[in-house]
Amino acid sequence: MSFIENIQVFFPLLDKTITIEEDKTVAEACALAGFPQNLVCGGKGTCKKCLVTIRENGHTKEVLGCQQIVSQGMSILISREAALSQILETSANGVLPFDPRVKVFSVPYADLTTLMCSYDLETIRGVLDLPVTISSLKVLKKFTEVFHLKDKALLNFIVFNEEIIDLIPSDTSISPYGVAFDIGTTSVVGYLYDLATGVLVNQYSTLNKQISFGGDVISRIDFASGSAENLKEIQDSILETIDSILLNLCEESDISNQAVYDCVFCGNSTMAHLFLGLNPVHLGLSPFTGITKDMVILNASDLNITMNPYGRITFLPLLGGFVGADTTSVLLGLPRDESFRLMIDLGTNGEIAIGNYHKYFVASTACGPALEGAGIHMGMRGTTGAIEKVTLVNNKFQCHVIGNVAPLGFCGSGIIDAIAVLFREGLVHEKGNFIKDKTLEAHPLKNRFSIDESGQRYFIIVSQKENPDGKAMIITQKDIRQVQLAKAAIYTGCCLLTKQYGIKGSQLTEIVLAGAFGNYIDLDNAQFIGLLPKIKGVPIRSIGNGAGTGVQLFLLSQDEVKHCEQIPAATTHVELATDPNFSNAYMMNTALGKNMII
C-alpha cells in the first residue's frame, strides 16, 4: 500500500505557500491557491489554455497546468494581475426603488409588555402593526431567551416577508445587509447593500472556481454527472467562490458576515443546478430537461454559506432549456413598456430574447467559447496581456493591451476587432478564407501573411520584431472559422426568434446588448462582420452587466420581486435546434458581413 505525502508548493509572485498532496496537478494547486485556471477542455490537455510557467529543480519552463504534477518545492509563477479576469462589475442602474424583503424593526424593551394570560407574539404584532409569524423552532427558542431581557435598550426584529427570522437585543439600532450575486460561467460578482438605507456599500468580483472543471457548461455537466462525489466537489467550488466574495465584501466594509440576512442569486440553468447541488445530467442530454425552473428560497443554513444562518437565500427563476435566471434578471432590468426590444447576452453562453414585458420569446445558442478566447489559437480571457482592441492606421496595426504590457494573446473583443479589420481591408473574403494569388500580390499588407509547419496560412497582427518581449500575435484561418460559427449562431438565432415572434426587425425600438463581452466589444465592428444584427433606424446599445442590474433590483424592491415572478409566465422558450430552417440559415449566415434582419 502506497502513502500519498503532502508537499509544499510556492507562489512567489503571490507571496503564498500551499500544502498539497504530491499526486495533484499544477492546475489543482492554482485552484487551491485561489486562482483557478481556465480549463476549457475540462483538463484533457487539448485546449492549452492553462499554460503556466513553473520553476522546478532550478529550471524554469512552461507547462500545461492540467497535466503537470506538482513536486516538492516547485514554484508556480503566476501573478495576481495575470490570474484575475477583467470582470464587468458596473451596471446601468440609476436610482433603484427601495422596499426590501428584509427589514429591521428596533423596538424599545419598554414597549414590549405582554398583558396577563396573553402571548408575546401578539404583543409584537400589536407594536409592529404587522401580522408577523415565526416558523422556525430555532427562532422560537431564541425568542424565549431574549424577549424579556432587562439589560438592553432595544430588541431588533429582523423580518423577511412578514416572518421574524431573528431577534437581536442591543442598545442601538442595527442594520441588516444583503448581497446580490450574478453567477457567471467564468466569473462571479457580488453587490453588498445596507438594507436599512438602500446604500450600495461595496462590490467585488472574482473568477468562478468551477473553471477548474471546464470552461463551458457542457464540461461541467459531464463532470458533475459522473458521480455523487463529483457533484459535491463542483458544488463546493461555487460555494467557496461565494464565500470568498462575502469575506472580501464584509472585511473591506468592516461588517460582520452575521449581519448579512439576504443573498439573492442569478445564473444560467447549469449554474443554478450546480449551486443547489442538483444533478444536471439531463440538461446535457436530449430533450435537455432541468429539475425545476421555479424560484428557490432556502434558509442560509441549508447551503452553509457564511452569512447569518437565520438569513435567506433566493435563486431567481429559470426560463427554459439553457436560458436561466441570468436572462430573467436581464429582462427584469429592461423598461416595462410597449416597445419591442431584441436583447442579446453574449457571455460564455449566448441568450437571446425578443418582445416586451407583456410577452417574450427566449432562446440560447452556442456562441460563447470563441468569443471569450477559447478555441482561438492565441485566445485568452480578458486579463493582463490580452489584446482587447485592434485598429489599422496608415497600414500599421495599433493594439490596446490590457495592463499596458507586451501582448500575450487576444481576448474576445480583440479577436472581433482583428477579423473586422481584415475583412474591411479585403484581406479576408466574405466566406472567411484569406485572399491569395493576384489579389494578395496587389495588397500592401501581403508581407504579413505566413505559413506554419503544417502548411496552414496565418496573418501577423503583431510581428516578433514589433513585440520583442513576447511572441508574434497571429490570426489563423481556423480562428476566423471559429468566429464565423459563433457569429452565425447569434445572427441566426436573432433572425429566427424575430420571425417566430411575429414581427419584423424594423418594428424593434432598439437592440440591447448585455453582459461583460457586450460591454467591451466595438459595436460597429461586431455589426460589420455580422455578429450582431444591423437594422436601419434601430439603435443598438450596451447595458453592461444587465444580469447584475436585475438581481440588485430584486434584492432591493418587493415590487421588483413581484415583476420577476411574472416573467416566466410571460415568456416562451424556443428551442432553435428544432426549427427546420435553422441548419440552412446557420450555414448561410456564416458569411462575414451578413447582418441584416428583414
Side-chain angles (χ1 to χ4, degrees), residues 171-197:
D171 290 320
T172 58
S173 298
I174 67 169
S175 290
Y177 292 84
V179 184
F181 287 95
D182 173 20
I183 301 179
T185 309
T186 302
S187 61
V188 184
V189 57
Y191 306 86
L192 173 67
Y193 278 90
D194 184 330
L195 296 182
T197 64

Side-chain angles (χ1 to χ4, degrees), residues 293-310:
K293 70 174 186 176
D294 293 350
M295 183 184 301
V296 176
I297 302 178
L298 304 172
N299 294 320
S301 56
D302 291 336
L303 289 180
N304 200 29
I305 290 175
T306 53
M307 56 186 288
N308 193 292
Y310 293 105

Side-chain angles (χ1 to χ4, degrees), residues 448-556:
R448 285 188 174 268
F449 280 101
S450 190
I451 301 175
D452 64 19
E453 298 87 350
S454 63
Q456 298 298 310
R457 298 171 70 204
Y458 60 87
F459 187 87
I460 304 169
I461 298 291
V462 181
S463 67
Q464 178 71 62
K465 183 179 180 181
E466 294 166 326
N467 186 26
D469 295 328
K471 306 174 184 177
M473 299 290 106
I474 69 172
I475 300 294
T476 70
Q477 186 69 73
K478 183 180 177 183
D479 293 340
I480 298 173
R481 298 296 185 214
Q482 290 296 312
V483 172
Q484 284 181 274
L485 296 177
K487 89 98 180 168
I490 287 293
Y491 179 73
T492 303
C494 291
C495 290
L496 295 181
L497 207 59
T498 303
K499 184 177 180 180
Q500 289 203 28
Y501 192 82
I503 63 173
K504 294 182 178 180
S506 58
Q507 292 177 258
L508 294 170
T509 298
E510 63 177 346
I511 299 171
V512 175
L513 200 60
F517 180 72
N519 193 65
Y520 294 120
I521 62 172
D522 184 300
L523 297 180
D524 289 336
N525 282 342
Q527 287 187 313
F528 180 71
I529 67 171
L531 171 64
L532 301 175
K534 186 173 184 177
I535 306 169
K536 186 177 181 180
V538 179
I540 183 170
R541 67 182 176 100
S542 174
I543 61 172
N545 188 356
T549 299
V551 77
Q552 289 174 78
L553 288 168
F554 186 98
L555 175 71
L556 296 174

Side-chain angles (χ1 to χ4, degrees), residues 286-490:
S286 182
F288 311 111
T289 58
I291 294 174
T292 179
K293 70 174 186 176
D294 293 350
M295 183 184 301
V296 176
I297 302 178
L298 304 172
N299 294 320
S301 56
D302 291 336
L303 289 180
N304 200 29
I305 290 175
T306 53
M307 56 186 288
N308 193 292
Y310 293 105
R312 295 291 186 268
I313 291 169
T314 304
F315 207 103
L316 271 57
L318 314 181
L319 296 178
F322 285 98
V323 183
D326 48 353
T327 302
T328 306
S329 192
V330 174
L331 297 182
L332 181 62
L334 293 182
R336 284 186 279 274
D337 56 27
E338 305 293 328
S339 299
F340 296 117
R341 290 177 174 82
L342 174 63
M343 188 284 295
I344 308 168
D345 190 345
L346 298 179
T348 309
N349 301 290
E351 287 86 31
I352 306 166
I354 189 168
N356 57 30
Y357 82 105
H358 293 300
K359 182 178 75 170
Y360 281 109
F361 277 17
V362 299
S364 61
T365 185
C367 73
L371 301 183
E372 294 197 336
I376 303 299
H377 179 70
M378 303 199 76
M380 60 186 294
R381 294 198 306 268
T383 181
T384 300
I387 296 174
E388 65 172 348
K389 186 173 182 59
V390 178
T391 56
L392 185 68
V393 180
N394 297 324
N395 286 329
K396 292 184 178 180
F397 284 96
Q398 297 181 354
C399 300
H400 184 270
V401 182
I402 298 173
N404 294 317
V405 298
L408 300 173
F410 298 88
C411 64
S413 60
I415 201 76
I416 295 301
D417 278 359
I419 291 175
V421 170
L422 296 182
F423 184 47
R424 185 177 285 113
E425 296 299 321
L427 293 158
V428 173
H429 291 297
E430 182 183 73
K431 292 184 177 180
N433 51 312
F434 287 129
I435 60 172
K436 57 183 180 179
D437 302 332
K438 293 181 179 180
T439 308
L440 173 60
E441 289 302 315
H443 203 287
L445 296 175
K446 63 181 180 181
N447 292 331
R448 285 188 174 268
F449 280 101
S450 190
I451 301 175
D452 64 19
E453 298 87 350
S454 63
Q456 298 298 310
R457 298 171 70 204
Y458 60 87
F459 187 87
I460 304 169
I461 298 291
V462 181
S463 67
Q464 178 71 62
K465 183 179 180 181
E466 294 166 326
N467 186 26
D469 295 328
K471 306 174 184 177
M473 299 290 106
I474 69 172
I475 300 294
T476 70
Q477 186 69 73
K478 183 180 177 183
D479 293 340
I480 298 173
R481 298 296 185 214
Q482 290 296 312
V483 172
Q484 284 181 274
L485 296 177
K487 89 98 180 168
I490 287 293

Side-chain angles (χ1 to χ4, degrees), residues 120-132:
D120 296 332
L121 185 55
E122 295 301 323
T123 300
I124 297 171
R125 288 170 177 159
V127 171
L128 300 184
D129 194 24
L130 286 173
V132 291

Side-chain angles (χ1 to χ4, degrees), residues 59-250:
H59 299 286
T60 300
K61 59 183 177 179
E62 197 172 48
V63 299
L64 289 177
C66 69
Q67 302 297 305
Q68 180 72 33
I69 302 299
V70 295
S71 62
Q72 174 63 40
M74 175 187 286
S75 291
I76 302 176
L77 306 178
I78 62 171
S79 67
R80 183 175 300 274
E81 292 74 23
L84 290 176
S85 287
Q86 180 182 357
I87 300 168
L88 178 68
E89 297 177 344
T90 57
S91 62
N93 294 351
V95 178
L96 298 179
F98 182 60
D99 181 25
R101 295 180 298 172
V102 171
K103 294 182 172 70
V104 61
F105 298 92
S106 301
V107 181
Y109 265 101
D111 294 345
L112 296 175
T113 301
T114 302
L115 298 177
M116 183 178 293
C117 297
S118 186
Y119 294 90
D120 296 332
L121 185 55
E122 295 301 323
T123 300
I124 297 171
R125 288 170 177 159
V127 171
L128 300 184
D129 194 24
L130 286 173
V132 291
T133 61
I134 301 177
S135 60
S136 165
L137 182 58
K138 287 184 178 180
V139 176
L140 281 169
K141 289 182 176 180
K142 186 174 184 179
F143 186 103
T144 64
E145 298 169 359
V146 303
F147 187 81
H148 296 284
L149 288 178
K150 302 299 182 183
D151 59 342
K152 297 293 182 182
L154 301 172
L155 184 56
N156 298 278
F157 296 91
I158 310 297
V159 177
F160 177 87
N161 284 348
E162 298 188 343
E163 178 187 352
I164 297 173
I165 60 174
D166 200 4
L167 304 94
I168 303 175
S170 69
D171 290 320
T172 58
S173 298
I174 67 169
S175 290
Y177 292 84
V179 184
F181 287 95
D182 173 20
I183 301 179
T185 309
T186 302
S187 61
V188 184
V189 57
Y191 306 86
L192 173 67
Y193 278 90
D194 184 330
L195 296 182
T197 64
V199 171
L200 175 62
V201 179
N202 203 350
Q203 62 189 54
Y204 182 76
S205 59
T206 189
L207 292 178
N208 185 336
K209 290 186 177 182
Q210 291 178 337
I211 280 178
S212 299
F213 304 97
D216 57 70
V217 296
I218 299 301
S219 297
R220 298 183 199 178
I221 289 172
D222 287 345
F223 178 84
S225 58
S227 67
E229 292 75 18
N230 284 7
L231 178 59
K232 184 179 186 307
E233 186 178 356
I234 200 168
Q235 181 195 21
D236 286 346
S237 68
I238 185 58
L239 297 182
E240 289 170 7
T241 304
I242 298 302
D243 274 350
S244 70
I245 293 175
L246 279 169
L247 179 64
N248 185 281
L249 289 172
C250 292

